Amino acid sequence: MIVVESALKPFRVLAYIVGCMLLVLVAAMVVKYGFDNATPVAVVGPVHGFVYAVYLLTALNLGLKARWSWPYTLGVLLAGTIPFLSFVIERKVTERVRRQLAVAAA
């Protein structure tokens, strides 16, 4: 189960980064549509897109190693698209993986 444990840390880090980047992107969109300034979205949008793609890979990696069902894995993958949800899902995933590791160790 060390393989699952090694996949958990990158997932946790990327979940927080994606959550923060999504909040920054929402603020940039407010600036774009509220104040007619598209520059922040032009900068933050591609960065968030790249970070989200890396998040997808790390979440898929963890899902495959932890042997999650496809619907659960898909839900975790989509969690990075809704503000604040990636923080909540990260906590639930961490608890679930740690429970699995505790059961496997016993």
Side-chain angles (χ1 to χ4, degrees):
M1 286 313 245
I2 292 175
V3 176
V4 176
E5 220 172 303
S6 68
L8 180 61
K9 187 171 186 174
F11 167 77
R12 294 185 71 195
V13 170
L14 264 298
Y16 278 108
I17 292 172
V18 164
C20 292
M21 287 300 298
L22 187 57
L23 294 175
V24 171
L25 182 61
V26 168
M29 290 175 65
V30 168
V31 170
K32 178 181 179 179
Y33 293 111
F35 301 101
D36 199 31
N37 182 359
T39 304
V41 172
V43 173
V44 175
V47 173
H48 170 70
F50 175 76
V51 172
Y52 182 66
V54 176
Y55 166 80
L56 291 175
L57 292 175
T58 59
L60 186 60
N61 180 43
L62 179 60
L64 291 173
K65 289 180 179 176
R67 297 183 181 189
W68 294 339
S69 67
W70 281 107
Y72 186 80
T73 303
L74 184 61
V76 172
L77 294 175
L78 291 175
T81 63
I82 300 171
F84 296 107
L85 189 58
S86 67
F87 301 120
V88 174
I89 293 300
E90 181 275 329
R91 183 59 42 204
K92 290 184 185 241
V93 165
T94 300
E95 290 172 6
R96 179 180 180 155
V97 169
R98 287 189 176 153
R99 275 195 312 267
Q100 287 176 334
L101 292 172
V103 168

